[in-house]
Amino acid sequence: MAITVQYVVTHKEVEKLVTTDKKAADQYDKMLDTADNLAGFMAAMGVKMEDTQMEELSILLAKNKDKVNKLLKGTSLDSVLEDSSAEVVKLKAGNEN
């Protein structure tokens, strides 16, 4: 009989991720914490939207923090989008057998 350790990430009492990789679970949990902070910041700054939209937007920003950071530092949108396209091409090429 094998024993498997699973890490479960919950957010607002909802199971968001189940994995056997502790590092991945910790990273995902940190991303969700960042998303919560972003949502709180936007709300404090007067941004008004439905809770689900606020959560989706804050998670999108948190998941793409490196790209958002580049934009905040003045990198052009085209450059950031080109980098994203190159990443997708690399992923697709890596998945071919």
Side-chain angles (χ1 to χ4, degrees):
M1 177 183 279
I3 297 173
T4 304
V5 176
Q6 290 187 328
Y7 299 93
V8 180
V9 179
T10 58
H11 183 251
K12 298 180 182 175
E13 300 181 20
V14 176
E15 197 173 282
K16 296 289 189 174
L17 176 73
V18 177
T19 182
T20 58
D21 184 352
K22 182 177 183 345
K23 184 177 178 181
D26 288 341
Q27 287 175 333
Y28 197 81
D29 186 51
K30 184 176 179 180
M31 183 276 302
L32 290 174
D33 288 342
T34 300
D36 282 343
N37 290 336
L38 286 167
F41 174 76
M42 289 185 287
M45 298 305 294
V47 175
K48 298 190 186 315
M49 61 177 64
E50 292 182 26
D51 289 344
T52 55
Q53 290 176 320
M54 183 71 83
E55 184 175 8
E56 288 175 13
L57 176 59
S58 63
I59 288 173
L60 172 77
L61 293 171
K63 281 184 177 179
N64 293 285
K65 69 178 182 177
D66 294 335
K67 294 172 185 135
V68 171
N69 198 23
K70 286 181 182 179
L71 291 168
L72 291 172
K73 289 182 178 181
T75 303
S76 71
L77 176 61
D78 290 339
S79 178
V80 171
L81 292 177
E82 284 175 16
D83 290 347
S84 296
S85 296
E87 290 173 15
V88 170
V89 170
K90 286 180 189 175
L91 287 174
K92 286 182 181 177
N95 289 334
E96 293 176 2
N97 293 332

